[in-house]
Amino acid sequence: MQLNTIKPSEGSKKNRRRVGRGIGSGLGKTGGRGHNGQKSRAGGYHKVGFEGGQMPLQRRLPKRGFKSQQLKYNGEVTLSDLQALGIDEVDLQSLKQAGLVGELIKHVKVIKSGELSRKVTLKGVAATAGAKAAIEAAGGSLAA
């Protein structure tokens, strides 16, 4: 085999379609565009979603729903997670190290799910009303 004898395999390369090059090409005269209309003319086309002047579908449907991008920075921890954690002073950093919340999390809230029987102090961690009552009942506290 020589470099000057290398060819692509048979049928792997197709010639590009040359439109408007005479009747014998099969794509002469109108060049595959049909006869009249906006799509037959150079530069004539409509924007995506255009329905010929009819009110487009995306404008006919009601506006509904929104998902805030701030949600990815919020995390939740349950009372049973705090019970299993085994740390007396709980803050955001200790929760990240324990793997209870992700690295992107900036705000954590304790929710009332499970039981808490030991004293826990929360620093920089919010709690729901039920969780706060359960923490204080177990002898713990919430620091701002």
Side-chain angles (χ1 to χ4, degrees), residues 76-132:
E76 285 182 352
V77 177
T78 63
L79 289 175
S80 53
D81 289 338
L82 293 180
Q83 179 72 25
L85 192 58
I87 302 174
D88 292 337
E89 279 199 11
V90 177
D91 61 349
L92 182 59
Q93 197 60 39
S94 64
L95 292 172
K96 284 183 180 180
Q97 287 171 350
L100 290 175
V101 294
E103 287 299 316
L104 284 177
I105 302 298
K106 294 179 182 176
H107 308 286
V108 177
K109 189 174 258 194
V110 179
I111 58 173
K112 187 183 177 193
S113 175
E115 297 293 322
L116 182 68
S117 58
R118 54 187 204 78
K119 184 178 174 183
V120 173
T121 305
L122 299 181
K123 289 195 174 181
V125 177
T128 62
K132 183 177 179 184

Side-chain angles (χ1 to χ4, degrees), residues 36-82:
N36 287 356
Q38 188 180 23
K39 295 202 301 191
S40 72
R41 301 190 167 104
Y45 216 67
H46 51 75
K47 63 184 177 186
V48 175
F50 184 68
E51 297 183 18
Q54 172 176 294
M55 188 61 68
L57 182 67
Q58 75 269 21
R59 292 188 60 196
R60 291 198 300 265
L61 297 175
K63 293 195 282 187
R64 187 175 174 281
F66 170 75
K67 186 169 182 182
S68 173
Q69 290 299 303
Q70 297 301 313
L71 293 176
K72 63 185 172 188
Y73 301 116
N74 297 340
E76 285 182 352
V77 177
T78 63
L79 289 175
S80 53
D81 289 338
L82 293 180

